[in-house]
Each structure stands twice: as structure tokens, then as C-alpha cells.
């Protein structure tokens, strides 16, 4: 959000067809049922690699990004997530800044929710971690959007065996 490993900030490119400043803007319609935002990990890493502190402006930048998303998609749920990788799970500064941003946003917008993933991996997630992250997100979206998720046969068998 505030710092980038590639020199681009989310607010500059979230509505683009490709992650490039000069890329054409993506169509805003049809509006998605939900927009999922998972940011902050690179802010932790970029600051660390540069020998700097976590960016103080993260909360303000995050709020500005989510408000830009809200303007683009006025009826969509916005799901603000964090976690998934070691540094984003274990950074107290990111956790505090993200929590402050989500709390502030929710004061005026009931269609914004926050979720801290319990699944994570030390480095970039592999298939098994992605599956756990997807399960968490699917359950959350099901509650928000009224989906019914069929029981996974493997999970049912595993639960029965316990």
C-alpha cells in the first residue's frame, strides 16, 4: 500500500487491466459481489530490506485505497484481509495499522469487513496453504453473500474418523 518492491502502489493500479501505471482502466461493470484486498506484506518486506521502519502512513494509505475501491464499486462487499505469509502474520506494526484502518472504515461503511487469515506459510504460500486460505475466504464469502457450500467429502470422512 505504502511501499512496494516493484515501485508501484496499489492505489495507482487497482483499477487497471495490468499492474502498470499506463495500462488502460478495467471496466467497472458489472460490479463484483465482493472485492477482496490482501495487502501489507510487501510494506513489511520493503521497509525491512531498506532498513527502515514500517511506514507510518500505511493506515492512511490503506483507508484511501479502500475508499477508492468503494467509489468504483459502491454496492460490493469489500473484504479487507491480512496474513497468509509469515511477515504479515507476525508484524505487530502491520497488524495494528491494518486493524486501525479497518476499524476506521467500518465506522462509516457496514459493507466492509476485516479478516485475519489463520492459515499462513513462511515463504510464499504453496498449494496446500492456498487451499487453506481459499477455504477460509470461501466460508467468509458464503456468510456475506448467502452462498451454500457443499460439504467436502474428504473433510466429512476426516471429521467422522476423529
Amino acid at each position: 500500500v505504502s511501499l512496494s518492491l516493484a515501485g508501484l502502489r496499489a492505489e495507482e493500479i487497482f483499477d487497471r487491466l495490468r499492474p502498470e501505471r499506463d495500462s488502460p482502466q478495467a471496466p467497472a461493470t458489472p460490479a463484483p459481489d465482493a472485492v477482496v484486498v490482501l495487502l501489507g506484506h510487501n510494506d513489511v518486506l520493503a521497509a525491512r530490506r531498506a532498513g527502515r521502519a514500517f511506514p507510518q502512513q500505511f493506515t492512511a494509505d490503506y483507508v484511501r485505497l479502500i475508499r477508492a475501491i468503494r467509489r468504483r464499486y459502491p454496492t460490493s462487499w469489500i473484504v479487507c484481509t491480512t496474513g497468509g505469509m509469515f511477515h504479515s502474520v507476525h508484524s505487530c506494526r502491520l497488524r495494528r495499522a491494518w486493524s486501525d484502518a479497518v476499524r476506521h472504515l467500518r465506522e462509516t461503511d457496514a459493507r466492509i469487513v476485516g479478516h485475519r487469515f489463520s492459515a499462513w506459510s513462511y515463504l510464499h504460500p504453496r498449494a496446500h496453504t492456498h487451499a487453506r486460505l481459499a477455504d477460509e475466504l470461501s466460508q467468509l464469502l458464503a456468510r456475506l453473500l448467502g452462498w451454500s457450500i457443499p460439504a467436502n467429502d474428504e473433510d466429512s470422512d476426516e471429521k467422522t474418523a476423529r
Side-chain angles (χ1 to χ4, degrees):
V1 175
S2 301
L3 298 174
S4 166
L5 298 177
L8 297 171
R9 294 177 51 224
E11 187 179 0
E12 299 170 314
I13 58 170
F14 84 91
D15 60 349
R16 303 294 164 180
L17 290 174
R18 292 178 307 282
E20 302 164 352
R21 282 185 191 98
D22 59 352
S23 176
Q25 195 172 44
T29 57
D33 293 330
V35 176
V36 178
V37 179
L38 174 58
L39 295 171
H41 185 82
N42 285 349
D43 293 88
V44 174
L45 288 182
R48 205 167 188 216
R49 288 180 181 169
R52 295 185 289 187
F54 184 79
Q56 289 186 331
Q57 75 274 18
F58 180 91
T59 300
D61 289 347
Y62 194 94
V63 167
R64 191 171 46 255
L65 169 65
I66 301 303
R67 285 187 174 149
I69 293 170
R70 171 54 71 224
R71 284 190 299 277
R72 187 162 172 83
Y73 304 114
T75 60
S76 302
W77 282 95
I78 300 177
V79 182
C80 301
T81 64
T82 188
M85 292 196 291
F86 178 84
H87 293 291
S88 42
V89 170
H90 291 90
S91 170
C92 294
R93 290 185 178 113
L94 172 59
R95 183 171 42 249
R96 191 175 318 115
W98 176 85
S99 296
D100 289 349
V102 172
R103 186 174 26 265
H104 180 74
L105 290 159
R106 287 192 45 78
E107 288 174 359
T108 58
D109 193 333
R111 292 182 63 85
I112 293 176
V113 297
H115 177 75
R116 289 194 67 220
F117 285 110
S118 61
W120 62 276
S121 65
Y122 186 72
L123 299 172
H124 275 274
R126 302 295 188 254
H128 67 282
T129 307
H130 278 294
R132 290 177 54 215
L133 294 167
D135 285 344
E136 283 186 51
L137 187 57
S138 295
Q139 295 299 319
L140 174 61
L141 290 173
R143 285 192 304 276
L144 293 174
L145 302 173
W147 297 346
S148 62
I149 298 178
N152 182 336
D153 290 337
E154 291 174 23
D155 288 346
S156 298
D157 293 343
E158 189 177 305
K159 289 175 185 168
T160 306
R162 287 185 200 161

